[in-house]
Every structure is written in C-alpha cells, then in structure tokens.
Amino acid sequence: MSKSGPSSTDASRTHATTSRGGFSSSLGVLAATLGSAVGLGNIWKFPSLTGANGGAGFLLIYLLSTLFIGLPLMVAEIAIGRQARANPISALRQLQPRGAPWWLIGVAGMAAAFLIMAFYSEVVAWVFAYVAKALSGNLLSSDPVQTQASFDALVRDPVQALLWQWVVLAFIGGILLLGVTRGIEAATKRLMPLLFLLLVLLGGYSLTLPGAGQALSFLFAPEWHKITPAVVLTAMGLAFFKLSIGMGTMMTYGSYFTAEQNIPATATRVMLADLSVSLLAGMAIFPAVFSFGFQPSAGPSLVFITIPAVFAQMPGGSVLLAAFFLLTAIAATGAMLSLMEVPVVILHERWGLSRPRATLLTLLILGLLGAGCALSQSTLATFQPGGRTLFDWADYLSSNLLLPAGGIAIALFVGWAWGERAFAAQLSNHGQLGNQGLARVVSLLLRWVTPVLILLVMLAGLGVFSGA
Ligand code: TRP
C-alpha cells in the first residue's frame, strides 16, 4: 500500500509532487488495493450480515450492488485519485468547477474513516485476542454454548476490550511511525494466499459436515419474502464497505496508482478476488452453523463462535485456529492501514502536519472514539440511544448512511461536474487502452443510474416510503 518514502523508479512520480510516493509496480498496485478491500468485511461482516438477513436473498442483492453500484464507483474513485495525485479534499478541489463545494466529499470521508475505524479497531482487537487465546488452547469446542461463553467473556470484560484495542492501535501506529508499511505490504502479499488456502481447506472440510446441504440452500436458494427494503439497504452498504468505497480510500489509493495501470481491469480483479474470499468464508462458517446448532442470526459473534467449532474436530486444531485468526489479523491490518491513510494524508497535505504527527493525532482521536465502541458490550452496554449501542451506531451509520451518501456524491461529481473526457482519459490511459466505450457506459451509469438507485435504496431502507 502506502508510501512511507518515495520510490525512485516509480513512473508515476513524474506526476506526483516531490514528497509523494506511489506504488512501485503493477503487482504492487493490485496487492495494495486488494489489501484494502479484503479484511474483516469478508470474514466477520459478510457472514454475520448474511446470516442475520436471511441468507441467499441478501447475498443476491449484495452481488447485484457490487456489480452495478460498487464496481463503477470504485473505478470512479481511483480515476479521480490518479488524475489529481492528491488527498481526497485537494483532489476534488483541483478537479471541481471553480467555486463548487465538491471537496466537502473529502471532509465527509474523513469523518466516515474515523467512524469506521472506531468499531473496526475493536473487532480487530477481538481477532488479536483470539490469536492469543487459541494458542493457550482453551477456545476449541463444538458446543455452541461454550464457544459463545468464551466470546462473551472477552467482549463483556471492559479491561480486555479496551486493552486489546490499544494493542491494535499501538501495532498500527508502530507500523506507520516506523515507516515499515512497505514491509507489511510485502508480508501481506505473501500471507494473503495462505489465508485463502486455509479458507479453502476449512470450506472443503465444512462441506463434509452433516449440515452442509442446509447451509448451501440457506446461501443459494433465496426466500423472496425475506428481502425487505432494510435488507436491501444493508446489502448495498456491505458492497460499499467491502470495496472500501464512498469515503475516499480508493481515491487516496488511486493517487498512488502507476500511470500504466489499467484501472477498470484492476478494479474488476479486486472485486472478484474479494468476492471469492467472502464466499469461502461463508462456506467455512454456515455448514458449521447448521451442523452444531448455532443460530445463523448470531450477529457480530458469528465467526468467533463457529470457527472454533469447525477446528475442534481437526487434528492440530488449536494451532490451525491460531493461524486462522493470525491471518485474519493480517488481512484486517491491511484494511485498517488503508482507512488510516485517509485522515493521515489529509492532515499531512492540507494541514501541514508531518506524517508522524498526523499519525499520532489520528490515533489519539481514534483512541477516544474507539473506547465508546470497545465498551459497548460492557460498561456502556445499557447506553443505547435510539435502540443501538455506540458500536452498532458507528457500524450502522457508516455503512448504511455515510458510504452510500458519499457514493451518490462521487457518482454525481464524475457524471456531471468532472467531465466525461477527463474520466475517459483516466480509464483508457489517455487512449492507450481500448476502454473508451467502457468509459462511455460507466459515465452514463454514474450520471443517471447509480445516484438514483442508491438514493432510492437508502430512502426505502430508512423507511421513508413506508412511513415507518
Ligand atoms: N474493505 C475493508 C474490509 O472489508 C474495510 C475498509 C477498508 C473500508 N477501507 C475502507 C470500508 C473504506 C469502507 C471504506 O474489511
């Protein structure tokens, strides 16, 4: 992913300001973008939301949103970033028609980044804690009551919840302050295939469990009556969250793309790879749900209670379990670094803070906001304004409100303000690739279809049409 120092051979640097680096190779671009997309969204959010929202119908809407809303927006964001070679606020200021306020998208994006990281860092905290607990060997059990009790013991203990979050923040901060993001990226690149393999193994094993048939029909045979407007909004929100779009992450990463990179092809590859990780996680988890008597609607605890049950039967289960959560932690770290990058680069490039200072300030704000989420299951469990804990609010508001709203604004910007010619130039690398036809189609989509579709889904999901 990111650029703690400029790389001398980087072709993109001719466009960049002198202090900006960039991804150094085509493979690096792909790996970093994938590193942002793949994370807890696949292993934690995707299964728990699919389980809680009825299975196949939700999955279908999620797929459609990814294809027709997520992918065009991802392409749009990367194109904006690469054209401007700057943080989201500066990028939009640079490209917007004189005096128009499109740069506010960048401000909203920074707010969204903090909100997402506030709860995301707590889930990463649970993953870190599970690595440690798996190694000490007392997590494995195929008894739902027991695995749920282990999870509750962790999240309902305010001290553990807070301390593990601080461990995560210190870890991420350490990576950024030591300037070893490149090292982490290199490690991630090598370890992600391992996570993939482990998921294939787990999924394959899970499919031999007695509940596999039930799991497959849960995942792939839609029950249409379960698709409510709220379910559709949640599925669309997941598509935004999964592809890291709607708040400037992909714009920021786009600003580090090489000039030669084929943007639509990269985005499509990332989307497909990301989707396969999610589906594999589903294959690993849902057969266990139906075989051992878990509830698919268990919510945020789902992956933490089912995966230990799957490993319980295997030889070397404890070690494999620790490896699973370790690889998940690494994937989540890549995603978290991409979230951090948005406020850090804004504070750096616009406020003139040095990168280390920008990092420390971001971590400080995060420590304060994050504590509210960390304590949501313990000290603050009864604090539920409007029927949700702070954790749930941060999760709900970001995915179901801020990201889709950001998506509408980005689509409108590209469709109406930026101009199709500049957009097509980015998609085709100034005519070198044959993407002009595609640019035309995506441009029309972003102009007329995407914003209307997102708005309708949002209004319906929020109950505006039903008067709820
Ligand atoms: N996509 C990541 C995941 O699924 C999370 C993430 C990283 C993200 N950057 C983002 C989500 C920007 C929304 C916006 O784990």
Side-chain angles (χ1 to χ4, degrees):
M1 142 201 350
S2 71
K3 50 324 43 54
S4 19
S7 60
S8 45
T9 55
D10 186 347
S12 72
R13 285 207 57 223
T14 45
H15 299 268
T17 58
T18 40
S19 68
R20 291 188 117 242
F23 300 133
S24 48
S25 69
S26 172
L27 193 65
V29 174
L30 185 66
T33 313
L34 194 61
S36 168
V38 174
L40 293 176
N42 309 69
I43 295 181
W44 166 72
K45 210 176 210 277
F46 170 80
S48 71
L49 288 181
T50 305
N53 289 286
F58 176 88
L59 182 54
L60 181 68
I61 305 291
Y62 165 64
L63 286 176
L64 291 174
S65 314
T66 300
L67 223 59
F68 294 108
I69 298 176
L71 191 57
L73 277 174
M74 188 174 178
V75 168
E77 272 199 47
I78 296 174
I80 294 172
R82 191 174 67 175
Q83 167 78 41
R85 299 269 181 221
N87 67 82
I89 296 180
S90 307
L92 290 158
R93 263 181 185 273
Q94 187 183 321
L95 303 182
Q96 74 196 5
R98 193 177 288 273
W102 293 101
W103 56 275
L104 288 171
I105 297 173
V107 178
M110 187 157 152
F114 277 113
L115 204 59
I116 294 172
M117 285 190 288
F119 75 89
Y120 202 86
S121 59
E122 181 56 18
V123 186
V124 188
W126 301 340
V127 173
F128 272 47
Y130 260 56
V131 176
K133 286 177 200 291
L135 285 176
S136 70
N138 49 19
L139 280 181
L140 291 182
S141 162
S142 43
D143 175 3
V145 177
Q146 196 164 341
T147 56
Q148 181 75 52
S150 305
F151 179 74
D152 290 345
L154 168 68
V155 302
R156 292 193 183 152
D157 177 353
V159 178
Q160 287 202 66
L162 263 188
L163 282 181
W164 281 109
Q165 189 178 44
W166 290 343
V167 169
V168 170
L169 294 181
F171 179 66
I172 306 270
I175 293 173
L176 284 165
L177 291 174
L178 295 174
V180 291
T181 15
R182 286 195 178 234
I184 295 296
E185 288 306 318
T188 308
K189 217 184 314 183
R190 290 185 185 94
L191 290 173
M192 294 260 273
L194 267 186
L195 175 64
F196 197 81
L197 274 183
L198 195 59
L199 281 171
V200 171
L201 177 82
L202 265 181
Y205 172 77
S206 257
L207 287 175
T208 67
L209 292 171
Q214 228 179 321
L216 289 178
S217 61
F218 180 76
L219 281 177
F220 299 114
E223 296 172 78
W224 303 108
H225 67 276
K226 290 194 177 163
I227 308 181
T228 64
V231 166
V232 176
L233 174 58
T234 306
M236 185 180 79
L238 177 65
F240 277 87
F241 188 89
K242 272 309 322 118
L243 297 177
S244 309
I245 53 176
M247 46 74 64
T249 290
M250 284 298 159
M251 253 183 242
T252 307
Y253 271 34
S255 76
Y256 306 130
F257 264 48
T258 61
E260 299 77 30
Q261 196 78 14
N262 184 336
I263 294 176
T266 308
T268 307
R269 281 194 198 124
V270 168
M271 184 273 287
L272 289 174
D274 178 69
L275 208 56
S276 30
V277 176
S278 293
L279 287 174
L280 278 174
M283 295 293 181
I285 287 170
F286 286 103
V289 166
F290 292 102
S291 304
F292 302 123
F294 291 96
Q295 290 303 321
S297 57
S301 65
L302 192 66
V303 60
F304 296 96
I305 59 180
T306 54
I307 292 288
V310 181
F311 280 121
Q313 255 95 13
M314 291 191 194
S318 282
V319 176
L320 285 173
L321 183 65
F324 173 84
F325 281 110
L326 186 66
L327 292 168
T328 301
I330 290 165
T333 302
M336 182 92 186
L337 286 170
S338 79
L339 279 159
M340 287 277 293
E341 187 66 15
V342 174
V344 167
V345 78
I346 288 177
L347 292 173
H348 175 53
E349 292 182 355
R350 289 206 66 84
W351 287 26
L353 298 187
S354 66
R355 274 194 72 101
R357 273 175 201 248
T359 305
L360 284 176
L361 182 60
T362 303
L363 286 172
L364 195 71
I365 299 174
L366 207 53
L368 295 174
L369 286 177
C373 294
L375 299 177
S376 269
Q377 315 242 23
S378 52
T379 321
L380 297 175
T382 53
F383 181 58
Q384 301 199 5
R388 280 179 228 271
T389 62
L390 292 178
F391 181 103
D392 291 340
W393 270 119
D395 184 357
Y396 180 83
L397 279 181
S398 52
S399 283
N400 293 13
L401 217 65
L402 287 178
L403 298 181
I408 293 178
I410 291 164
L412 291 175
F413 172 75
V414 173
W416 296 93
W418 187 22
E420 192 181 321
R421 193 181 297 171
F423 182 59
Q426 280 305 320
L427 264 54
S428 66
N429 293 354
H430 300 280
Q432 286 172 11
L433 307 169
N435 284 342
Q436 274 98 344
L438 183 72
R440 185 89 251 264
V441 174
V442 178
S443 187
L444 284 174
L445 263 179
L446 292 172
R447 195 173 248 234
W448 299 105
V449 184
T450 317
V452 180
L453 206 60
I454 302 175
L455 187 68
L456 286 178
V457 171
M458 275 179 83
L459 293 179
L462 298 172
V464 173
F465 299 136
S466 58

